[in-house]
Amino acid sequence: MPQLYIGNKNYSSWSMRPWVLMKQAGIPFEEVMVRFDSFEADSTFKKALRGVNPVGKVPVLLDNGFAVWDTLAIAEYLAERFPEKKLWPADAKARARARSVCAEMHSGFGALRSHCPMNIEASLPDTGKLIWRDQAGVRADMARLCGLWSELLAAQPEGALLFGDFSIADAYFAPVCMRIKTYGLPLPADLAAYVERVCGLPGVKAWVEDALAEHDFLDFEEPYRLGR
């Protein structure tokens, strides 16, 4: 059975993507949670990953001793390893578009990532209002996100996901949905409904439930709070 190395579920947006993907698609795996304590070279976190991933980061998929790291590489590996799960859209153009938007999420939206770090347990709408007021980059990232989601959803039946059925793209944007909810970032009603559909996926709900059960406050992951 493959092993998936992840960080704290409350904070680790990168870990959330492949975990949700595998859980929602029904791909069996063993979870190996490596608690964030520090990102220094001599931290317990780094030491735990030293023999698994040369860059010392999560997530890492270990399949019969073969390590795959980076969320896009893991997603592609799983799509090839489990073709019956249809993790990418069947249509060639839709598949290319899904890869494009995942790659854009992977490398872009820097302001949204920086100013609105994932924190599932928190409810920070007042902080979100200040971020929205003061951070033009966050407003620009959200405008791009709205345009992207609107275009994709317009091509699908009402109530569908980005490419109809669940795909890698929805798993990839699940952490963004968490950020939007935590910080109360504004969305049009149809896109807010998409966020709720993603949050209602069994794989996402399972991740959120585990995140809420952690009760592990890490001050270096909490730019807006001193405690709970």
Side-chain angles (χ1 to χ4, degrees), residues 57-124:
K57 295 180 179 180
V58 289
V60 186
L61 181 69
L62 199 63
D63 190 13
N64 291 320
F66 179 72
V68 186
W69 58 93
D70 185 278
T71 53
L72 270 180
I74 293 171
E76 290 285 9
Y77 181 82
L78 292 170
E80 293 182 2
R81 177 87 160 72
F82 301 96
E84 72 281 4
K85 298 298 183 179
K86 301 177 181 178
L87 301 180
W88 290 118
D91 177 77
K93 290 184 178 179
R95 193 161 59 250
R97 182 56 53 84
R99 284 188 168 109
S100 295
V101 301
C102 287
E104 182 179 353
M105 183 70 249
H106 190 271
S107 61
F109 299 94
L112 181 60
R113 295 179 194 277
S114 175
H115 295 289
C116 301
M118 193 174 85
N119 190 339
I120 291 172
E121 179 273 336
S123 178
L124 302 170

Side-chain angles (χ1 to χ4, degrees), residues 36-217:
F36 294 142
D37 62 335
S38 166
F39 298 116
E40 299 298 325
D42 62 347
S43 67
T44 301
F45 175 79
K46 290 291 187 181
K47 289 176 180 176
L49 291 170
R50 193 164 291 158
V52 182
N53 176 4
V55 297
K57 295 180 179 180
V58 289
V60 186
L61 181 69
L62 199 63
D63 190 13
N64 291 320
F66 179 72
V68 186
W69 58 93
D70 185 278
T71 53
L72 270 180
I74 293 171
E76 290 285 9
Y77 181 82
L78 292 170
E80 293 182 2
R81 177 87 160 72
F82 301 96
E84 72 281 4
K85 298 298 183 179
K86 301 177 181 178
L87 301 180
W88 290 118
D91 177 77
K93 290 184 178 179
R95 193 161 59 250
R97 182 56 53 84
R99 284 188 168 109
S100 295
V101 301
C102 287
E104 182 179 353
M105 183 70 249
H106 190 271
S107 61
F109 299 94
L112 181 60
R113 295 179 194 277
S114 175
H115 295 289
C116 301
M118 193 174 85
N119 190 339
I120 291 172
E121 179 273 336
S123 178
L124 302 170
D126 291 339
T127 300
K129 289 177 182 177
L130 295 175
I131 293 169
W132 190 262
R133 183 194 69 187
D134 296 339
Q135 300 299 331
V138 172
R139 297 194 300 273
D141 280 353
M142 286 297 295
R144 171 56 190 148
L145 185 71
C146 289
L148 186 157
W149 283 358
S150 293
E151 179 183 356
L152 296 175
L153 292 171
Q156 305 300 331
E158 185 176 354
L161 297 172
L162 292 178
F163 291 91
D165 295 328
F166 173 77
S167 72
I168 290 169
D170 300 297
Y172 232 76
F173 284 102
V176 177
C177 295
M178 300 299 104
R179 288 176 163 99
I180 289 169
K181 291 179 72 70
T182 293
Y183 299 94
L185 301 179
L187 278 181
D190 59 330
L191 302 186
Y194 167 71
V195 169
E196 292 305 317
R197 291 196 294 277
V198 170
C199 292
L201 293 170
V204 174
K205 290 174 69 174
W207 177 277
V208 170
E209 288 172 4
D210 288 351
L212 296 177
E214 284 181 348
H215 303 296
D216 190 10
F217 181 83

